[in-house]
Amino acid sequence: MRRIYKLLKGYLNISVDSREPERFFNICSAKNIEIWNIVSKKNMYTLNIALADFYKLKNIARKTKSKVRIRKKKGYPFFVYKNRRRKAYLVGIAAFSVIIYILSLFVWDIHFDGLYTYTEDVLLEYLEKNNIKHGSMKSDLDCTQIEKMLRNDFFDITWVSVSLEGTRLTVHIRENYDYDIVTKSEFEMSDIIADKEGVITSIITRTGTPIVKIGDNVKANDILVSGNVVINNEYGELIKQEYGNADADILAKTVYNYSESLEMRHKTKEYTGNSKKSYGITIFNKSFYVFSQRAKYYTYDRVIEKKQLKLGENFYLPIYFDAISYNEYNTKTEKYTEEEAKNILTKNINDFFEELVEKGVQIIENNVTIRREGNNYIAEGDIVVIEEFGKSVSVEDLYPQNDTE
């Protein structure tokens, strides 16, 4: 940024031949004359100096018996002077600078980082409904407010950081993959209930009264921990009863039912090698195709590659260069071998297991088997796991009061 400022103001590369170089540089320093890129060769020095400061050197050179010569002229003032007769050229440069400045006032790229459950399309649609979109003025955006909105409206997003860099709005997100299991309630009064069937293997209650114990079989919607806290005296008599927010860490043994079918006969693509390409440019969501070739293939894949124009690291512009490929293919029907079918289903099962492990689920028993039925291969069975269990529910939702006339 400082280099750009110097170029706009203009600067000179000069040589200084002095009998008293130390005195020359000391006086420059005392008068706050900025010099940089100093190179020494005996009593000869080359250096850069701002155009405005150059005119202050006359008296300093006379006092220190120095000879100053201009070697190079750099920056915007010299460029304008050199091209003073090319008015159209200068007007174009000035207009381009104004356009770039105006574009810098808006957001032209919204980038998400850390997505796991949600897709960019879902969050972009949400932001757009709240008037946060490509083309929004940066001055109208409040990063802190955007963070609060995302946390409030997506309760499984536990941490959000929003920042503006150049014309890019960056949204960093961390998701709670187990948001629908054990949740920390924000209700004033709540119970923890079972969200499915299971056998309690561990329960640590922080607030509230536990209703179940280790080894208990529970069904969906059974109360596990009540927010109701009863206080008795030494004689067992009720002193006080308070309803608060139940909070506990609960683990339970549960069962997942896995089922997947794979048809033996399937269609595959066989590419012919024939391909057509089209090129275009998209400006403010309006596309213009410069070299367009219409694909006359019966079946083909259409692949679009977009590259957004940017200046520097984070200065994105609302301009995209498009390259569209049309790749012809023929379809044919093939049949899986038994080994291929088992490999595909086994991979899908292992991927499912990895998703469970990433959520902190402990797999203790795998009863999934693969078999063939007619023209299909079927993977089916139960998976026994130990996982975090239960969810917080408002007491008002659990015990709605009937309106009385």
Side-chain angles (χ1 to χ4, degrees):
M1 194 67 186
R2 188 170 178 79
R3 184 174 181 274
I4 294 175
Y5 176 78
K6 290 175 180 177
L7 285 170
L8 289 174
K9 290 293 186 179
Y11 67 92
L12 301 167
N13 180 259
I14 63 176
S15 64
V16 178
D17 187 359
S18 177
R19 295 181 181 179
E20 304 176 39
E22 293 84 359
R23 188 182 176 205
F24 176 88
F25 290 118
N26 286 337
I27 295 175
C28 287
S29 177
K31 292 184 176 293
N32 294 320
I33 296 174
E34 184 182 7
I35 54 179
W36 67 95
N37 290 352
I38 303 173
V39 179
S40 171
K41 291 183 179 179
K42 295 184 180 180
N43 290 330
M44 178 72 73
Y45 295 84
T46 60
L47 53 94
N48 293 335
I49 185 169
L51 178 60
D53 289 336
F54 175 75
Y55 299 106
K56 301 176 184 179
L57 294 182
K58 186 175 181 181
N59 292 332
I60 299 174
R62 187 172 61 251
K63 287 180 181 179
T64 59
K65 299 177 182 179
S66 304
K67 293 181 180 180
V68 178
R69 292 184 178 86
I70 298 174
R71 299 176 71 238
K72 293 180 182 179
K73 301 176 182 179
K74 297 183 179 181
Y76 182 71
F78 303 110
F79 175 80
V80 172
Y81 181 78
K82 183 179 179 181
N83 295 278
R84 62 189 181 281
R85 295 181 181 178
R86 302 177 182 177
K87 293 183 180 179
Y89 183 66
L90 291 176
V91 169
I93 293 294
F96 178 76
S97 300
V98 171
I99 291 171
I100 291 298
Y101 171 73
I102 293 174
L103 290 176
S104 70
L105 302 177
F106 298 85
V107 170
W108 300 115
D109 181 67
I110 300 178
H111 175 71
F112 295 95
D113 181 46
L115 296 183
Y116 182 82
T117 304
Y118 293 103
T119 63
E120 286 193 10
D121 291 339
V122 170
L123 293 179
L124 282 174
E125 184 179 352
Y126 166 79
L127 292 177
E128 191 169 343
K129 287 180 180 178
N130 289 276
N131 296 319
I132 303 165
K133 55 188 177 181
H134 296 92
S136 298
M137 285 199 68
K138 295 196 296 185
S139 59
D140 294 338
L141 301 180
D142 185 340
C143 293
T144 303
Q145 184 61 31
I146 297 172
E147 292 171 358
K148 289 181 180 178
M149 286 168 44
L150 287 167
R151 284 197 299 266
N152 291 338
D153 294 342
F154 296 88
F155 54 88
D156 51 328
I157 293 178
T158 58
W159 179 84
V160 184
S161 175
V162 179
S163 61
L164 270 170
E165 300 170 354
T167 59
R168 166 181 274 195
L169 180 73
T170 303
V171 183
H172 301 277
I173 286 176
R174 288 181 190 165
E175 299 178 40
N176 178 11
Y177 310 141
D178 299 322
Y179 69 93
D180 58 344
I181 304 174
V182 177
T183 59
K184 302 297 182 280
S185 174
E186 295 180 357
F187 305 121
E188 291 184 0
M189 298 186 296
S190 68
D191 291 342
I192 298 178
I193 67 171
D195 52 329
K196 54 180 157 181
E197 291 187 13
V199 178
I200 305 299
T201 60
S202 172
I203 179 167
I204 300 174
T205 305
R206 282 184 287 273
T207 58
T209 303
I211 306 300
V212 296
K213 60 184 182 299
I214 295 175
D216 284 355
N217 287 282
V218 296
K219 296 180 180 179
N221 299 323
D222 284 353
I223 297 177
L224 307 178
V225 178
S226 172
N228 186 25
V229 178
V230 177
I231 302 175
N232 296 323
N233 61 17
E234 57 184 319
Y235 304 106
E237 299 171 339
L238 177 66
I239 297 176
K240 186 168 61 172
Q241 181 172 297
E242 294 179 346
Y243 225 114
N245 181 2
D247 186 12
D249 289 333
I250 305 170
L251 296 177
K253 183 166 69 173
T254 63
V255 177
Y256 284 82
N257 302 117
Y258 187 92
S259 180
E260 182 184 4
S261 178
L262 181 67
E263 191 173 350
M264 292 174 60
R265 295 186 180 276
H266 62 284
K267 291 184 178 182
T268 61
K269 296 178 181 180
E270 187 177 51
Y271 291 94
T272 64
N274 296 328
S275 180
K276 297 284 186 181
K277 282 197 172 183
S278 294
Y279 300 93
I281 185 171
T282 301
I283 303 175
F284 293 105
N285 296 324
K286 297 292 184 182
S287 297
F288 307 91
Y289 291 97
V290 183
F291 303 103
S292 180
Q293 300 185 62
R294 295 187 63 183
K296 298 181 181 180
Y297 310 133
Y298 182 71
T299 53
Y300 58 87
D301 281 336
R302 185 171 180 261
V303 181
I304 302 176
E305 294 182 15
K306 282 184 174 288
K307 186 173 183 181
Q308 189 171 7
L309 182 64
K310 65 177 182 176
L311 303 176
E313 185 66 25
N314 293 302
F315 196 103
Y316 287 81
L317 299 174
I319 302 172
Y320 298 82
F321 296 105
D322 305 332
I324 304 177
S325 300
Y326 301 91
N327 304 314
E328 184 187 30
Y329 67 84
N330 296 321
T331 57
K332 61 178 183 178
T333 302
E334 293 185 347
K335 187 177 180 181
Y336 289 120
T337 65
E338 183 177 355
E339 183 179 358
E340 288 173 337
K342 288 184 176 180
N343 287 339
I344 293 172
L345 290 173
T346 300
K347 181 182 181 304
N348 293 344
I349 295 168
N350 290 334
D351 290 343
F352 180 72
F353 287 168
E354 287 182 11
E355 291 180 10
L356 292 179
V357 172
E358 286 178 2
K359 294 179 180 181
V361 177
Q362 179 186 351
I363 300 171
I364 59 175
E365 191 176 325
N366 172 21
N367 298 315
V368 179
T369 59
I370 300 173
R371 68 181 187 277
R372 178 175 174 175
E373 285 188 4
N375 292 324
N376 296 326
Y377 284 95
I378 297 174
E380 196 172 44
D382 295 334
I383 304 166
V384 183
V385 304
I386 292 178
E387 62 180 343
E388 292 182 334
F389 194 69
K391 61 181 179 181
S392 292
V393 180
S394 167
V395 171
E396 294 180 358
D397 294 336
L398 278 176
Y399 312 108
Q401 296 181 354
N402 295 324
D403 295 334
T404 57
E405 297 181 359

